[in-house]
Amino acid sequence: MARSGDLHFHRFPQSKSVDAVRWLSPLSAFDRFVAAAVHDTDAASSSLEIHSLTVDAADPNSPLFDLRSSWSSPSRISSLRSSQTPHKHLVAAASTLAGSLHLLFVDPVDGSIDSELSIADDRSLHAGPISAVDLQAGGQACVSVGEDGRVNLVTVGESRLDHQRVHDSRGLVSYMAARWASPAEFATGGLGFGVQWWDQRKPGGLVSQFKGNWARGSLTGIVHSIDIHPSRKHICVVGGSSGTVFAWDLRLQQQPILLSGVSLNETTQPISESDVWEVQYDSYTHSSNINSAPSTRILPIMMCSEDGILAVLEQGEEPIELLAENCAINAFDIDPQNPSDVICGLEWESIGILTRSRETMVRY
Amino acid sequence: MPGLASDPGDSLVPFLPDVRDPVVYPVRHGVNPPIFRVYVSWTRGNFLQVACLRPPAAEPAGGEEDGVSDEEIGGKVVEVKLGAGDEEISEAQRRRIAYGSVPAFALLQSRKNSLAAMSRMSASSIRTEWWEHVLEYSRHISDLLGNPMLPSSTVIEDPKMIMQPHEEPTTLKAAWQLMEIFYVDKLSSTWLPERLVDWLADYDSLLTETTIHSKVEGLQKRLSSLKVVVEDDPEYWEGMSGALAAGWLDAVVKLLRLHGSYQLEQLGSRETENGLVEAVAVLVSTMPRMRPHLPAGRLGQCYKTKPDFIKAWEKWRLHISRLDSSTFWVQCSHHQTREGLRNLLQIMLGNISNLRAATCHWMELFISHFLYIRPLTMGLDEFHSLAQKCMQLKSSSSSNGLMGLFIGILGENPEVVLAECSKTLGPWMVAHAMELLTVDNGHADILLHEERYSLGDISIEELHRLVYAQVLSSHPLTWQIAPTYLASCPKQGLGLLEILLYKQPVQHYQMILKNLEICRLYELENISSSIMKIAGTYHWKHGRKGSGVYWLQQARDEVRLNKIAQQLFECIGKSISDDSFKQWEGLIELLGSQVGTAGGLEFLHKYRDFKRSLQQVQDGSPVDAARQTMESLMQLMKNSSTPQRFWLPLLHDSVKLLNWKAQPLLTVSETNLLLNKLQELSMVKLHPDFCESNLPPQALSSVRLALATNLGRAVLEEC
Amino acid sequence: MSAHQTSTMEKEVATLEKGALCCSWNYCGQRLAVGFVDGSVSIHDNLDSASSCSSKWKAHASSINNIVWLPPEFGDAIACISADGSMSLWEEVEDDTQPLKWKMCKLFESSNVTVLDLQFGVYSTSLKMVVAYSDGHVKVYELLDPLELNKWQLQAEFQNVIDSVLRFGKPSCAKASIAWNPRRGESQQSSFVLGFNSDLPQFNSSKIWEFEEDHQRWLPVAELALPGDKGDRVHAVAWAPNIGRPYEVIAVATCKGIAIWHVGLNPESDGRLSTEKVALLSGHDGEVWQLEWDVSGLTLASTGADGMVRLWQSNVNGVWHEEAALECNGMQQ
């Protein structure tokens, strides 16, 4: 296994379940904000909390983490995304298990929540839990998907949210992940490792479908997370059950590129055999042969798993294990402005900050 | 007599008096009496839900709506948490401790297992290695319970700061430390009395309401708020004598230096007095201590070996006696100073009545014995008899769980230790402290590991782990760490884990996956298939047919999937004519993706093609559609994944095509194949498991006739 | 020594409407079904957020005396026993043609006898329902299709007496208590314990019935009563979960108190199971209403006419005692 470089990891106990974490893109390098979806099981209350994070470069072992504001959610938050609006607001989109969708506009200077737009108690959006939401760059539109089999497009208006149904499979298919590829295209994923590619400009929306029956064995699973790189829109990287991380190149229709998982190779031990909850392109880890990388090559991917692994995967290389925690890492987010820093939501009621130092990320 | 067992049974082992009067707790449910019925259910772990119902109205509530008053409720349901324990530690902190102790516990268990597997090593080296592992474990848990001492370097030296600011000490940590001192920390066994002095310095405040600690704390508050002449204040001398009796030498010296005679303007008039104060301060700070080292800031002189110590101690006492009998005291005009200082000297000389007066609790008196009377006390029996004596001298001291634990340790009575841990500190403490108790104690080892029939053939150790796991399972967040403890139970752990897993809710797929991960780790295939069946049925019945089928496929539940196939078969048959068929496409994709026999439902896909072309035939399309249909039929009939029970409906659908006017659509060999299938079917029909489809009774014979017709025509065609 | 030591915290979970008569929790304790005097049933859900009443409907013309949840493998479904002697099965379903609702799957009409109690047991994928009637008869039904709760087949019918050859009079039973052996697994034989509260002594004592595969019949394999106590009217029975004990533990409440029985796992040469009464616990003044074991089978909770919830445990020497009690009668605000 490849070794990771110099890492600093700090845990902040929250005394609440941390269900999702996102960086909120900051205006200045000094104040960085983190949005965390938390759930207090004892009080049966859920909220979205905005924290400020200060990491002193001289003393990376003791970062400061302060609660700036909190918004109480009507139900447990199932998915969280963030973006920046043209008006310099930070925006967080949260979906809930009760099927409601909320957009929160956060002041970029003091981290307070300025306004909120919601769709709640409206069964025409979703019947039952929303499993995933994704916010377009610029925060103008959201896509939401659910186990009810609906794919919805939510547009952000001046003072309200409008939604329009792209597809309704009436519960015959369930969706668990969604990710924008471009202002018009997005990908969804769900049961049986299925991935779907949608284009709003096309009638019906569905453009291409990737069937999950590539695994020769009896292995199948659920897609938990999808990421699409802005420079390689034709490739979806997908994380799901049984430690599976694969890439689907739309140009190579039904042949996935397996990056990790139990079915990859019988002889080598995959980095994880349990659910991969989230995948994200890791712009911090430089591909070992970046210059020669053709457009089919998959850029480095970060993943987190139920068995507490945070690792970077690269096609054809040994994985780099960044963390091996005693509890599940349920979510993570790489700071888009400062990609050496990763925030994690840990099963044992804490938020973790991982800082990677610049010099030492080399392969041994 | 309420609550008494009528069959006491013969107690073979003299055990703690466990049979005591039950504690009665009122349930605050807010329902006005009378209560008509009470229903209970264990919901999660040790949560008990209690429903209290009022008597229903005599006339059935049918019609008029009354105004809502208090009497209008029929009852309330409350959830009672049993074993809530003390309030010293918040629930969130308790969970934090629970999380933090998992890795240490798991590591220790795996080390235990690997040591047990190593038979080559000598018993003594295994014991040494094991002891080191337990010490590491104990230190880890101890750190987790909080650090009572802040690093002294961060505190700015303040002459009036008599005691370093402490984090609030907890009984949990105090108890853990005690057990570590006595059971695990062998290296310090040569200076055990001094270890106890240190322990008291940290946890004196936990003993009772009024302690030396509370007095010194009170004194410190007085000193910082009041501008008084300290030496006139009796509390000054009282606090100082207490601090000295408990061995807090740095505090004593600091207090002495606050004496008025140190003030610059006093120098002329109170020289002797000041000299005496300083002499006492010097004696206090040079007290010989039988210990290898002292933490920074603590006073005294350390001696590692007994002879050196005895020599120094006797010399030191000689100095004290000399000072005590010196003539300077006559020249000391300040009465309180003279009496106060001489009291301190008597304390240092080990005068029992002075020590008794200076201490509040018997434990403090006990500790003072180690400092000033019997610094070389060794052996638990000596400790124990000394403790008994101090308890008699300070009979008014209240007793608490911590003291009970201490007496249990001194009395070498692991039953009492366990009982006190369980009673005052709760299941977490018992489950984790058992490792300390047995590290070097054969008696405790037997007591804890002996399997008992009355417990269902498990040991006390296993029982306490089961109990702790049950507490963990009460909370949805800590439930996931319960398996670690259950896995360390050799007999009943996995049995309990299966039940706990079965009782987890299945609404959210992430929760299901987390529970299935536990099943995977502990190889509980049966329970994982039960969970998936429950989830599958739940989603199937709640409008999410895709999720339902997915989970049932994962469970390899052939019975349910076959029933679903039947339903889908009928649905597809019906919906083929309208657009709603498109809806099924995704589901059919999903069904087909499963490899293997269970749920291999991809034939439905071909069935759809068949039905579609059949539709075209019925709509009057040309012969091509008819041929197409027959091709699909042949594919379906040849495919082994097409369940036998669908053969007849398929053939029956095709009767019209078999009788196709223009030409026979099937070849001789194809027709023969179908005839064979029909033959097979009529054999099966005699089988008791055969289940009749909803076809008309003459279906079989009409298919038989149509096939014969087609065969005849095909034979003619092919001649 | 137990997980259930002191009780200091309580939290209100649900408020029930006027006329509530009985309640029953589902397998994970998140859903509560309540039966009412006017024949209606309500469901309370206690999910991630606060508890709420998700539905209420009229199930029977007369009052609901008892509600039993089906095992979760068969969906969210309940059986309701009505005071008029009939019983019905209901399940919660939703699909794209109709919103979420509770639908009746099956109605068992009352005849001249009434249903007193019923319980469900799962054995190697099949669901069995045992129903006890006011005439001392027991019927065992089997579900034919695991996804359709309306197809039941009568598998056996017998009386709760040891010697089936002897003729008894017709008893009049006021109450019956059934508990299935909670152990799940392919190899396990189906068995349950049943006791009556009737005017004919032979029917009363709790007997363990086991299904004999070879002859496809139910046989009594143990009787949980000492010779002098056989006629005692049974108020409640509860079969403890067995997570690995070499014997089963069953609690039986009669007018004399709560008896704790150890029952052997394997039949002896005469085909009967060995039984031993290890404790008789008295505490409730009057009738015991309900017995409920916790998940580990270490603690028994009982409720009774004295308005108390009592918690019973065995110490390490096997001596049973009352560990704690919850007082529900108090006048509190």
Side-chain angles (χ1 to χ4, degrees):
Chain A
M1 183 164 303
R3 298 250 307 275
S4 53
D6 209 10
L7 300 174
H8 294 284
F9 189 56
H10 197 89
R11 293 178 197 87
F12 301 99
Q14 299 294 300
S15 306
K16 288 170 209 163
S17 171
V18 179
D19 295 333
V21 284
R22 293 288 166 206
W23 293 96
L24 293 176
S25 321
L27 280 189
S28 77
F30 302 106
D31 274 323
R32 288 197 286 169
F33 297 121
V34 167
V38 295
H39 177 71
D40 182 337
T41 38
D42 296 334
S45 65
S46 302
S47 51
L48 186 82
E49 296 181 342
I50 310 293
H51 297 262
S52 74
L53 176 78
T54 324
V55 185
D56 184 356
D59 185 13
N61 285 319
S62 44
L64 297 172
F65 200 63
D66 296 314
L67 180 64
R68 287 299 179 93
S69 53
S70 172
W71 169 83
S72 137
S73 168
S75 164
R76 194 161 178 171
I77 294 171
S78 56
S79 170
L80 178 68
R81 291 282 185 181
S82 65
S83 181
Q84 213 170 6
T85 67
H87 316 295
K88 294 290 179 201
H89 256 109
L90 308 176
V91 57
S95 63
T96 68
L97 293 179
S100 60
L101 186 82
H102 309 272
L103 260 78
L104 302 170
F105 298 90
V106 179
D107 186 293
V109 179
D110 63 2
S112 62
I113 295 164
D114 287 350
S115 58
E116 174 204 340
L117 294 176
S118 294
I119 305 176
D121 296 321
D122 182 356
R123 280 183 74 86
S124 69
L125 182 68
H126 281 282
I130 298 181
S131 31
V133 65
D134 192 27
L135 192 57
Q136 238 176 34
Q140 293 306 298
C142 279
V143 57
S144 72
V145 296
E147 284 184 78
D148 58 355
R150 291 185 194 162
V151 179
N152 287 309
L153 189 68
V154 178
T155 44
V156 183
E158 196 57 45
S159 58
R160 64 198 200 116
L161 300 176
D162 293 303
H163 65 96
Q164 140 201 3
R165 194 171 297 169
V166 179
H167 179 73
D168 185 358
S169 71
R170 295 197 237 168
L172 295 173
V173 176
S174 291
Y175 302 105
M176 276 84 173
R179 190 77 172 131
W180 285 102
S182 72
E185 296 155 295
F186 60 89
T188 60
L191 300 171
F193 283 145
V195 186
Q196 301 81 29
W197 187 266
W198 307 80
D199 189 333
Q200 293 181 67
R201 296 162 298 198
K202 303 279 165 65
L206 187 64
V207 175
S208 185
Q209 248 197 104
F210 173 67
K211 288 170 203 163
N213 53 1
W214 42 267
R216 296 167 306 282
S218 57
L219 183 87
T220 181
I222 297 176
V223 169
H224 298 315
S225 171
I226 301 174
D227 199 16
I228 297 165
H229 199 277
S231 74
R232 287 166 198 210
K233 283 181 185 160
H234 52 278
I235 297 174
C236 299
V237 291
V238 178
S241 310
S242 309
T244 308
V245 179
F246 65 87
W248 175 41
D249 190 329
L250 268 92
R251 298 167 304 182
L252 303 167
Q253 272 300 320
Q254 298 304 328
Q255 198 51 51
I257 301 156
L258 260 179
L259 297 166
S260 184
V262 285
S263 59
L264 180 59
N265 189 332
E266 255 81 273
T267 52
T268 55
Q269 189 76 16
I271 188 144
S272 168
E273 290 182 36
S274 54
D275 289 273
V276 174
W277 293 120
E278 187 138 23
V279 287
Q280 239 174 63
Y281 277 106
D282 180 23
S283 55
Y284 185 74
T285 305
H286 293 293
S287 185
S288 43
N289 40 7
I290 188 98
N291 298 329
S292 60
S295 71
T296 50
R297 196 180 165 84
I298 311 300
L299 297 170
I301 308 289
M302 191 181 287
M303 54 150 282
C304 69
S305 71
E306 176 65 19
D307 54 0
I309 301 293
L310 185 76
V312 177
L313 306 172
E314 206 183 336
Q315 200 180 354
E317 304 277 351
E318 284 287 298
I320 305 171
E321 187 178 280
L322 300 175
L323 292 175
E325 287 292 287
N326 287 304
C327 65
I329 302 178
N330 291 324
F332 76 90
D333 196 27
I334 301 173
D335 186 351
Q337 246 101 78
N338 209 348
S340 63
D341 296 356
V342 185
I343 186 154
C344 305
L346 302 170
E347 179 77 23
W348 288 350
E349 300 176 61
S350 50
I351 290 175
I353 308 286
L354 179 79
T355 46
R356 298 179 275 181
S357 64
R358 207 152 277 281
E359 314 77 60
T360 43
M361 285 297 292
V362 288
R363 289 178 183 280
Y364 291 90
Chain B
M1 250 216 286
L4 268 185
S6 64
D7 296 3
D10 280 1
S11 258
L12 294 175
V13 192
F15 202 72
L16 46 139
D18 216 354
V19 182
R20 55 183 190 269
D21 279 348
V23 198
V24 177
Y25 302 98
V27 177
R28 292 178 292 269
H29 48 64
V31 181
N32 292 327
I35 297 299
F36 156 78
R37 266 287 191 276
V38 180
Y39 287 90
V40 292
S41 174
W42 298 98
T43 47
R44 280 184 329 222
N46 59 345
F47 276 101
L48 187 69
Q49 285 200 2
V50 181
C52 299
L53 307 186
R54 283 179 52 79
E59 77 280 9
E64 78 266 38
E65 301 266 316
D66 295 319
V68 180
S69 75
D70 280 353
E71 297 304 313
E72 288 304 297
I73 63 162
K76 292 250 189 192
V77 185
V78 293
E79 188 171 61
V80 181
K81 187 182 182 186
L82 298 154
D86 55 324
E87 299 84 43
E88 188 186 63
I89 296 171
S90 71
E91 281 303 304
Q93 176 65 9
R94 205 181 293 281
R95 291 203 300 275
R96 216 172 288 171
I97 291 172
Y99 298 139
S101 40
V102 176
F105 179 83
L107 179 65
L108 191 71
Q109 299 310 316
S110 86
R111 284 172 162 174
K112 188 185 284 180
N113 293 339
S114 56
L115 278 184
M118 268 193 289
S119 50
R120 287 173 293 109
M121 278 169 74
S122 72
S124 69
S125 63
I126 285 185
R127 211 168 323 135
T128 315
E129 199 176 330
W130 174 240
W131 166 72
E132 278 166 4
H133 292 329
V134 176
L135 185 62
E136 186 186 324
Y137 162 81
S138 180
R139 296 262 157 86
H140 180 99
I141 300 279
S142 191
D143 285 346
L144 195 68
L145 298 177
N147 271 321
M149 292 297 295
L150 290 176
S152 54
S153 60
T154 60
V155 181
I156 299 155
E157 199 64 25
D158 174 359
K160 285 201 174 171
M161 190 68 92
I162 302 159
M163 292 192 301
Q164 302 285 351
H166 278 199
E167 197 177 286
E168 202 60 41
T170 63
T171 309
L172 205 55
K173 171 132 188 176
W176 189 272
Q177 291 270 293
L178 263 189
M179 295 186 73
E180 183 179 295
I181 291 169
F182 281 99
Y183 294 124
V184 194
D185 197 353
K186 284 186 178 173
L187 290 175
S188 63
S189 62
T190 51
W191 51 287
L192 199 54
E194 281 279 351
R195 286 274 281 156
L196 291 175
V197 172
D198 291 352
W199 181 87
L200 187 74
D202 287 341
Y203 303 109
D204 187 44
S205 61
L206 296 171
L207 295 180
T208 179
E209 286 276 298
T210 315
T211 57
I212 295 175
H213 180 268
S214 69
K215 282 188 179 173
V216 176
E217 206 173 44
L219 177 61
Q220 178 163 322
K221 273 199 200 106
R222 268 173 93 82
L223 291 175
S224 57
S225 59
L226 292 170
K227 267 273 176 236
V228 289
V229 184
V230 286
E231 60 269 29
D232 289 347
D233 186 354
E235 284 188 30
Y236 170 70
W237 296 103
E238 207 183 313
M240 203 150 41
S241 67
L244 183 63
W248 306 341
L249 307 184
D250 45 335
V252 177
V253 171
K254 272 189 182 171
L255 282 168
L256 282 173
R257 301 253 156 90
L258 295 176
H259 193 271
S261 62
Y262 282 96
Q263 310 249 325
L264 283 175
E265 73 272 15
Q266 307 276 341
L267 271 180
S269 55
R270 299 168 75 178
E271 272 164 1
T272 316
E273 197 182 334
N274 186 241
L276 285 168
V277 173
E278 186 56 28
V280 172
V282 167
L283 284 172
V284 167
S285 52
T286 56
M287 176 177 169
R289 318 274 306 249
M290 179 65 199
R291 59 188 296 160
H293 50 78
L294 273 167
R298 297 287 178 86
L299 299 176
Q301 289 185 334
C302 299
Y303 292 92
K304 284 189 181 113
T305 66
K306 216 157 116 180
D308 291 349
F309 170 76
I310 292 171
K311 225 162 85 187
W313 198 53
E314 271 161 8
K315 199 170 147 198
W316 176 69
R317 283 172 63 94
L318 197 67
H319 280 303
I320 299 170
S321 308
R322 273 197 210 135
L323 180 62
D324 192 35
S325 55
S326 89
T327 53
F328 289 116
W329 296 107
V330 189
Q331 297 168 35
C332 178
S333 56
H334 193 261
H335 173 73
Q336 281 99 331
T337 301
R338 192 172 64 231
E339 292 309 309
L341 289 177
R342 295 191 76 172
N343 181 37
L344 294 183
L345 293 183
Q346 286 307 310
I347 286 173
M348 286 193 278
L349 285 172
N351 185 320
I352 186 73
S353 56
N354 295 65
L355 283 173
R356 198 178 154 196
T359 52
C360 308
H361 191 270
W362 71 260
M363 183 76 186
E364 293 164 351
L365 181 60
F366 176 71
I367 295 298
S368 69
H369 273 73
F370 297 141
L371 289 160
Y372 305 110
I373 303 178
R374 293 159 65 181
L376 297 171
T377 309
M378 278 298 142
L380 285 178
D381 45 341
E382 269 187 73
F383 278 84
H384 194 225
S385 58
L386 181 59
Q388 300 286 356
K389 186 185 133 194
C390 294
M391 269 190 273
Q392 277 166 15
L393 288 169
K394 281 271 174 198
S395 52
S396 59
S397 325
S398 63
S399 179
N400 64 13
L402 202 52
M403 290 302 100
L405 175 69
F406 189 57
I407 292 299
I409 293 174
L410 296 184
E412 294 180 83
N413 199 339
E415 292 95 330
V416 173
V417 172
L418 267 190
E420 288 296 348
C421 280
S422 164
K423 208 167 75 192
T424 48
L425 301 161
W428 175 88
M429 181 69 179
V430 189
H432 290 88
M434 284 187 300
E435 304 296 342
L436 309 186
L437 205 55
T438 53
V439 65
D440 199 20
N441 185 325
H443 173 48
D445 196 54
I446 292 167
L447 177 85
L448 288 179
H449 293 127
E450 180 192 18
E451 286 174 1
R452 286 152 196 261
Y453 179 78
S454 58
L455 296 180
D457 270 4
I458 56 168
S459 63
I460 293 185
E461 180 184 71
E462 178 158 356
L463 173 72
H464 285 300
R465 287 180 184 166
L466 292 173
V467 164
Y468 178 56
Q470 206 170 328
V471 171
L472 288 173
S473 72
S474 310
H475 197 282
L477 293 173
T478 53
W479 134 247
Q480 285 211 41
I481 58 181
T484 305
Y485 293 88
L486 291 171
S488 72
C489 295
K491 291 220 156 166
Q492 300 189 354
L494 292 185
L496 182 55
L497 181 55
E498 288 194 2
I499 295 180
L500 292 174
L501 279 163
Y502 182 80
K503 288 176 84 100
Q504 297 300 313
V506 296
Q507 280 85 5
H508 305 312
Y509 72 92
Q510 286 99 337
M511 288 300 145
I512 302 175
L513 291 171
K514 280 174 188 285
N515 293 332
L516 291 177
E517 173 76 1
I518 294 169
C519 295
R520 186 179 73 86
L521 288 176
Y522 298 100
E523 295 171 354
L524 304 171
E525 281 90 6
N526 280 340
I527 206 72
S528 92
S529 109
S530 284
I531 292 171
M532 293 186 286
K533 277 180 200 176
I534 295 170
T537 310
Y538 175 81
H539 288 297
W540 178 259
K541 300 237 173 184
H542 285 84
R544 292 177 293 275
K545 295 203 152 49
S547 290
V549 169
Y550 174 81
W551 288 117
L552 292 173
Q553 282 185 333
Q554 295 279 297
R556 301 183 178 272
D557 185 343
E558 286 191 54
V559 179
R560 284 183 180 77
L561 284 171
N562 284 338
K563 297 289 177 189
I564 285 174
Q566 180 79 48
Q567 282 188 24
L568 291 180
F569 192 76
E570 282 156 17
C571 264
I572 293 169
K574 271 182 233 149
S575 65
I576 196 71
S577 49
D578 56 53
D579 286 340
S580 67
F581 182 75
K582 257 196 111 119
Q583 297 297 328
W584 295 95
E585 298 251 355
L587 182 58
I588 291 168
E589 294 292 345
L590 185 69
L591 293 169
S593 73
Q594 183 76 3
V595 188
T597 50
L601 304 181
E602 77 259 50
F603 77 94
L604 286 171
H605 218 106
K606 295 195 188 79
Y607 179 56
R608 178 201 55 187
D609 297 341
F610 168 72
K611 275 291 198 181
R612 194 179 272 164
S613 45
L614 194 65
Q615 184 69 35
Q616 287 169 356
V617 175
Q618 274 157 9
D619 292 348
S621 292
V623 69
D624 284 354
R627 282 197 183 283
Q628 183 82 46
T629 312
M630 285 325 250
E631 247 168 63
S632 299
L633 174 71
M634 286 315 295
Q635 275 179 12
L636 274 168
M637 295 302 283
K638 279 183 197 159
N639 194 322
S640 59
S641 81
T642 309
Q644 204 172 35
R645 64 179 182 281
F646 296 128
W647 292 354
L648 194 56
L650 283 168
L651 291 168
H652 190 250
D653 276 348
S654 323
V655 167
K656 195 182 158 195
L657 297 178
L658 292 170
N659 291 324
W660 192 256
K661 287 280 176 310
Q663 58 185 112
L665 295 171
L666 293 176
T667 65
V668 174
S669 62
E670 283 170 335
T671 320
N672 276 331
L673 187 133
L674 295 184
L675 278 166
N676 282 338
K677 296 273 182 191
L678 202 65
Q679 175 79 13
E680 230 176 283
L681 262 189
S682 32
M683 309 266 286
V684 171
K685 214 175 168 183
L686 303 171
H687 197 266
D689 281 348
F690 180 77
C691 96
E692 199 70 58
S693 54
N694 307 324
L695 291 170
Q698 72 282 7
L700 190 68
S701 52
S702 66
V703 169
R704 175 74 187 81
L705 189 65
L707 280 172
T709 313
N710 188 81
L711 180 66
R713 290 163 68 203
V715 168
L716 288 176
E717 190 99 331
E718 287 172 31
C719 294
Chain C
M1 64 154 246
S2 106
H4 318 302
Q5 268 187 339
T6 53
S7 133
T8 48
M9 285 169 57
E10 67 246 280
K11 187 173 98 179
E12 187 178 313
V13 177
T15 300
L16 309 181
E17 280 178 52
K18 198 178 179 182
L21 266 187
C22 61
C23 44
S24 172
W25 286 260
N26 76 341
Y27 74 105
C28 60
Q30 281 192 338
R31 309 196 91 182
L32 174 68
V34 183
F36 290 86
V37 71
D38 67 347
S40 54
V41 171
S42 70
I43 305 290
H44 295 256
D45 290 341
N46 184 23
L47 298 170
D48 307 295
S49 43
S51 147
S52 63
C53 178
S54 63
S55 36
K56 186 172 180 181
W57 72 96
K58 183 103 171 168
H60 283 270
S62 43
S63 63
I64 307 288
N65 281 352
N66 197 1
I67 297 179
V68 181
W69 285 86
L70 272 77
E73 290 91 332
F74 299 88
D76 279 23
I78 55 171
C80 303
I81 301 173
S82 167
D84 65 11
S86 63
M87 70 172 184
S88 54
L89 298 180
W90 299 79
E91 70 170 335
E92 190 185 56
V93 282
E94 174 184 6
D95 59 41
D96 56 344
T97 57
Q98 58 176 23
L100 190 75
K101 63 172 276 199
W102 283 81
K103 184 185 91 177
M104 183 158 82
C105 313
K106 178 87 178 166
L107 175 68
F108 292 81
E109 301 273 6
S110 66
S111 50
N112 45 352
V113 292
T114 58
V115 174
L116 296 177
D117 192 16
L118 68 87
Q119 291 296 331
F120 297 95
V122 188
Y123 289 92
S124 62
T125 72
S126 87
L127 178 68
K128 286 188 169 127
M129 170 169 70
V130 51
V131 188
Y133 293 86
S134 57
D135 61 354
H137 273 253
V138 184
K139 287 182 184 172
V140 183
Y141 293 89
E142 198 169 329
L143 184 66
L144 294 173
D145 179 340
L147 292 170
E148 299 292 335
L149 297 179
N150 55 358
K151 295 176 184 159
W152 293 88
Q153 190 177 51
L154 180 64
Q155 191 197 38
E157 182 172 2
F158 49 90
Q159 293 181 308
N160 191 37
V161 289
I162 290 286
D163 194 339
S164 56
V165 184
L166 286 173
R167 303 293 303 168
F168 300 100
K170 221 178 170 109
S172 165
C173 307
K175 206 181 164 195
S177 307
I178 308 167
W180 281 88
N181 180 348
R183 187 178 281 214
R184 329 169 51 83
E186 311 286 308
S187 59
Q188 197 71 16
Q189 292 286 1
S190 301
S191 56
F192 61 86
V193 59
L194 165 66
F196 273 109
N197 175 352
S198 80
D199 57 0
L200 259 188
Q202 291 88 343
F203 284 78
N204 283 347
S205 67
S206 302
K207 293 151 194 100
I208 299 177
W209 294 87
E210 192 170 280
F211 189 64
E212 197 193 37
E213 289 286 345
D214 298 346
H215 300 95
Q216 295 283 303
R217 60 177 179 178
W218 288 87
L219 289 175
V221 290
E223 186 174 13
L224 302 182
L226 298 178
D229 304 334
K230 294 201 179 188
D232 292 350
R233 290 163 181 259
V234 172
H235 298 310
V237 295
W239 196 314
N242 188 352
I243 55 176
R245 265 182 269 106
Y247 48 83
E248 296 291 340
V249 176
I250 298 173
V252 179
T254 65
C255 46
K256 289 178 180 149
I258 302 167
I260 306 288
W261 289 83
H262 284 187
V263 179
L265 294 181
N266 297 310
E268 311 204 316
S269 53
D270 61 352
R272 307 288 293 268
L273 301 175
S274 66
T275 59
E276 186 196 356
K277 184 173 164 181
V278 296
L280 181 65
L281 309 164
S282 53
H284 291 292
D285 305 325
E287 194 185 335
V288 172
W289 288 332
Q290 192 196 352
L291 295 172
E292 189 87 357
W293 290 98
D294 72 346
V295 276
S296 56
L298 291 171
T299 307
L300 175 70
S302 64
T303 67
D306 57 354
M308 302 288 278
V309 180
R310 300 187 186 275
L311 303 175
W312 309 87
Q313 287 180 341
S314 150
N315 71 5
V316 289
N317 299 316
V319 179
W320 282 83
H321 63 279
E322 187 176 350
E323 179 74 25
L326 306 175
E327 158 81 63
C328 299
N329 269 331
M331 308 265 279
Q332 304 111 348
Q333 294 308 304

